[in-house]
Amino acid sequence: MEIWINPACSKCRSAISLLDAEGADYTVRRYLEDVPTEDEIRDALDRLGLEPWDITRTQEADAKELGLKEWPRDDSSRARWIKALAEHPKLIQRPIITADDGTAVVGRTDEAVRDALSR
């Protein structure tokens, strides 16, 4: 199990606390320092069953600067979104937890973290 975190994020710290309380075996990836490649983002999206715009923090300053809210959300724009996430990792929703069964969840709630633990 791997968890992508920003240590400054309260949701990330909460997820880590819950994983620790449950005795989970996991690896921490500080994704702002160890930035995921476009391929890693594609893999995470496949595991999540989501599209890049579903995990994009559109309220971030970088998102506003890029005008992401106006970008099309369709198959032909998918690569553009993924590239933006790789170039601006602050835009990636957090924490993302990869489960042992090959799936993943966005662990913003205790329920989502427990879901990852149960897989």
Side-chain angles (χ1 to χ4, degrees), residues 16-25 113-114 117:
I16 293 283
S17 293
L18 183 54
L19 291 174
D20 288 343
E22 296 293 328
D25 182 24
V113 175
R114 284 191 183 95
L117 286 167

Side-chain angles (χ1 to χ4, degrees), residues 58-114:
T58 57
Q59 297 304 314
E60 291 287 331
D62 288 353
K64 291 176 180 176
E65 190 174 303
L66 292 169
L68 286 181
K69 282 193 172 186
E70 309 307 318
W71 287 15
R73 297 175 182 214
D74 56 28
D75 283 345
S76 66
S77 301
R78 192 172 197 266
R80 181 181 183 198
W81 281 85
I82 291 169
K83 181 177 167 100
L85 291 173
E87 291 177 354
H88 305 274
K90 262 190 195 177
L91 299 178
I92 300 172
Q93 189 59 264
R94 60 194 182 246
I96 292 177
I97 304 170
T98 56
D100 291 337
D101 69 352
T103 62
V105 298
V106 178
R108 295 192 56 77
T109 64
D110 287 352
E111 293 77 24
V113 175
R114 284 191 183 95

Side-chain angles (χ1 to χ4, degrees), residues 1-6 9 11-12 15-16 19 27-29 31 36 40-41 43-45 47-48 50 52 54-56 85 89 91-99 103-108 113 116:
M1 183 180 296
E2 181 176 79
I3 181 170
W4 293 5
I5 68 158
N6 172 352
C9 168
K11 300 284 186 189
C12 294
I16 293 283
L19 291 174
T27 302
V28 170
R29 180 172 186 169
Y31 72 93
E40 288 174 315
I41 293 169
D43 179 60
L45 289 166
R47 293 175 79 159
L48 288 163
L50 297 173
D54 296 328
I55 65 161
T56 301
L85 291 173
L91 299 178
I92 300 172
Q93 189 59 264
R94 60 194 182 246
I96 292 177
I97 304 170
T98 56
T103 62
V105 298
V106 178
R108 295 192 56 77
V113 175

